[in-house]
Amino acid sequence: MADMEKIHTGRQCAFVCHVHLVFVTKFRHKVFKDVHLRRMEEIMRAVREDFECELVEFNGEDNHVHRLVNFPPKVAVTKLVNSLKGVSSRRLHQFDALTRHYWRANKLWAGSYFAGTVGGAPLSIVSQYIEQQNRPT
């Protein structure tokens, strides 16, 4: 937990930027199992490397996912969100259950998302909240 509040440095700045992101499935359908969430975490960890971000915490339930991301100020949250949603949607098509469910709309995620900057609440509380999600089996 102590490293979550570590001050990062760039060429001309020092920063600590965290955002709590929540993505919801299209129509809030309950489609995720633990295997989907494990694969999604791998995908999102790979995407975050392109943005020089750190995925501090990840978890989810059967119809939404939470993540706590540490990002540099040069990254626009909207671009990060679009990339995370797009790449995860495309790569999760390997699962027949998800593909069958979303074949008509061809979309996994709802168009909206939640992005809350984290700073008022201690990061340990936000991290604990994400850890305590009721992950499906």
Side-chain angles (χ1 to χ4, degrees):
M1 295 282 179
D3 63 329
M4 285 196 318
E5 297 183 25
K6 178 182 162 196
I7 296 175
H8 298 276
T9 57
R11 188 169 174 202
Q12 298 177 347
C13 66
F15 60 90
V16 179
C17 300
H18 290 88
V19 65
H20 175 199
L21 299 172
V22 181
F23 300 164
V24 178
T25 58
K26 189 83 171 168
F27 308 119
R28 286 194 72 94
H29 286 283
K30 299 179 178 188
V31 296
F32 295 140
K33 303 283 187 224
D34 185 55
V35 66
H36 302 130
L37 295 176
R38 278 188 274 121
R39 178 66 179 130
M40 194 178 317
E41 184 173 7
E42 291 171 11
I43 292 166
M44 292 193 177
R45 285 194 186 279
V47 169
R48 64 105 188 137
E49 290 174 5
D50 296 339
F51 289 89
E52 301 173 18
C53 296
E54 176 188 2
L55 185 61
V56 177
E57 196 67 55
F58 176 91
N59 206 350
E61 294 188 5
D62 52 9
N63 65 355
H64 68 279
V65 294
H66 292 262
R67 73 207 45 74
L68 180 61
V69 180
N70 182 351
F71 66 101
K74 67 181 178 181
V75 171
V77 174
T78 55
K79 290 190 184 289
L80 176 63
V81 166
N82 288 340
S83 186
L84 288 170
K85 287 173 82 172
V87 172
S88 63
S89 181
R90 284 190 302 275
R91 292 194 182 163
L92 284 173
H93 273 289
Q94 73 183 26
F95 292 102
D96 290 336
L98 294 179
T99 303
R100 279 194 309 269
H101 190 76
Y102 289 102
W103 70 272
R104 204 178 271 166
N106 202 20
K107 292 182 181 174
L108 175 63
W109 302 112
S112 59
Y113 63 91
F114 168 81
T117 55
V118 180
L123 291 176
S124 59
I125 300 299
V126 176
S127 182
Q128 181 182 13
Y129 171 75
I130 293 172
E131 284 176 14
Q132 293 175 349
Q133 293 294 301
N134 293 324
R135 190 178 198 119
T137 56

